[in-house]
Amino acid sequence: MSDRRAAPRPVTAAPRCALKPAARSAPALRDFYEDPAVPVASGAERSRRQARMLARALGPAGVGRPATVLDIGCGDGTAAAVALPYLRGHRVIGVDWSQDALRRAAPRLPAVVRGELTDGGLPFAARSADAVLFSEVIEHVVDPDAALDELRRVLRPGGHLLLSTPNLAAWYNRGLLLAGVQPVFSEVSLRGVHGRPGSQVVGHLRLYTARALRGFLAASGFEVTAMAGAPFHGVPRPLRGLDRVACRLPSLASILLVHARRV
């Protein structure tokens, strides 16, 4: 094989469904993710931590051969915009299904495209990407197996996956469950919050512990090389110091940050 990998190649078929809902999801779920009131940005601190992990993995951009980084489920582009200063010289492309999200992301990113996560729907050739940012997306996906299959398809062998997601076993969720309270991040309805702290519905369909996420990624053809924690911006101010301390032990952290490689 040549050392020069092909740049992502757009496909001609139109995307068929949302990045977050799967192909057979209900129209109500699609409408939910197209609602401009639904948050599509991650916290800045977790984005910075994730960007530093990716920058260390990629190293400096080589002369004439920048890495191609896809921000899959880019939302309004905030996470990728935070990462850009750490990725100078590399090619960053934002991908989302929501037209509203892409309109907001376009001023922040060098390039944005519309795509989906199932059935080869990402508009890129196989093995064309060096890295994928998958920030706060997997918890929204109806079919995460198909989603990781598609990420694996577009990544070159040895390519980097930088994934972040809320931690079901975060330190405060353990206490809440003991008290019989619905864990933070979990949701039982798309219409309102019931039985847990907080007031905003964000469409979380699946949640992971550190152990479950490691096993799931391994079964999907990825080798986890590093796992770290990040704080959650929604933690009450008096508890934020404790939340930062918990980041030292990913299994207790609010947010799980994972660096994995395609095997």
Side-chain angles (χ1 to χ4, degrees), residues 166-170 172-174 176-177 181-187 195-198 204 207 232 234-236 254:
N167 183 9
L168 176 60
Y172 40 79
N173 278 347
R174 299 182 185 212
L176 290 173
L177 279 170
V181 178
Q182 188 82 10
V184 174
F185 308 125
S186 66
E187 296 182 333
R196 68 157 172 84
H204 288 173
L207 291 174
F232 174 47
V235 168
S254 289

Side-chain angles (χ1 to χ4, degrees), residues 47 96 167 243-244 246 257:
S47 296
D96 209 296
N167 183 9
D243 193 40
R244 288 185 173 276
L257 303 178

Side-chain angles (χ1 to χ4, degrees), residues 44-135:
E45 177 60 26
R46 79 192 76 163
S47 296
R48 281 191 292 269
R49 293 184 183 214
Q50 190 174 41
R52 288 194 290 265
M53 290 176 74
L54 178 56
R56 287 194 296 270
L58 291 176
V63 177
R65 187 182 168 279
T68 296
V69 180
L70 307 179
D71 182 9
I72 306 296
C74 65
D76 65 0
T78 300
V82 170
L84 286 177
Y86 299 91
L87 303 174
R88 295 188 190 281
H90 296 302
R91 183 188 300 115
V92 179
I93 303 171
V95 186
D96 209 296
W97 176 82
S98 168
Q99 294 284 31
D100 178 75
L102 290 176
R103 280 193 293 269
R104 286 185 273 170
R108 294 187 170 111
L109 302 181
V112 297
V113 297
R114 194 168 186 247
E116 64 174 291
L117 269 175
T118 55
D119 302 324
L122 289 177
F124 306 104
R127 303 186 176 194
S128 62
D130 298 282
V132 164
L133 273 172
F134 204 46
S135 182

Side-chain angles (χ1 to χ4, degrees), residues 29-46:
L29 192 55
R30 294 177 181 230
D31 295 341
F32 176 82
Y33 287 116
E34 279 285 15
D35 184 351
V38 174
V40 292
S42 303
E45 177 60 26
R46 79 192 76 163

